[in-house]
């Protein structure tokens, strides 16, 4: 049996990344929750200002990582879609059309 490429499976894999229950939506939910745990400047009185600043800096670092993850997953979804389109256009015999 010759090797075959399942173009629909490639396309579906990319779509699942951005599905309502997919990893991109999960990270968006995490981003929303993380943004809510930031503390206002005077949350721990004047003596706790440094703690609040460090806490918020840590939250900002996590938010940056989450946003980067979303960006990478969106790029992966786009690349999977492009790969599916390329395979559809291919005239190679192992492509399933």
């Amino acid at each position: 049996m010759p090797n075959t490429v399942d173009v629909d499976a490639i396309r579906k894999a990319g779509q699942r990344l951005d599905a309502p229950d997919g990893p991109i939506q999960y990270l968006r939910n995490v981003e929303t929750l993380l943004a809510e745990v930031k503390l206002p400047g005077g949350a721990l009185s004047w003596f706790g200002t440094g703690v609040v600043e460090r806490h918020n800096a840590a939250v900002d670092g996590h938010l940056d990582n989450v946003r980067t993850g979303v960006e990478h997953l969106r790029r992966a979804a786009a690349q999977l879609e492009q790969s599916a389109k390329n395979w559809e256009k291919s005239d190679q015999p192992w492509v399933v059309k």
Side-chain angles (χ1 to χ4, degrees):
M1 173 176 219
N3 292 334
T4 59
V5 174
D6 189 346
V7 175
D8 288 332
I10 295 171
R11 184 167 279 120
K12 286 178 186 175
Q15 291 169 348
R16 280 192 299 258
L17 289 175
D18 206 5
D21 62 342
I24 291 175
Q25 186 57 46
Y26 175 79
L27 288 179
R28 287 282 180 209
N29 293 340
V30 168
E31 181 179 8
T32 301
L33 293 172
L34 272 174
E36 294 174 2
V37 300
K38 289 185 82 166
L39 298 173
L44 298 176
S45 79
W46 185 79
F47 296 106
T49 303
V51 173
V52 170
E53 289 172 356
R54 287 189 296 278
H55 168 80
N56 287 343
V59 170
D60 288 340
H62 290 308
L63 283 169
D64 288 343
N65 288 339
V66 168
R67 289 179 187 128
T68 300
V70 169
E71 182 180 314
H72 288 177
L73 287 172
R74 286 198 190 280
R75 195 173 318 128
Q79 289 172 344
L80 284 168
E81 178 61 29
Q82 185 60 49
S83 179
K85 287 178 182 176
N86 291 346
W87 279 109
E88 281 178 335
K89 294 179 200 172
S90 176
D91 60 353
Q92 298 301 317
W94 57 80
V95 176
V96 174
K97 296 197 181 212

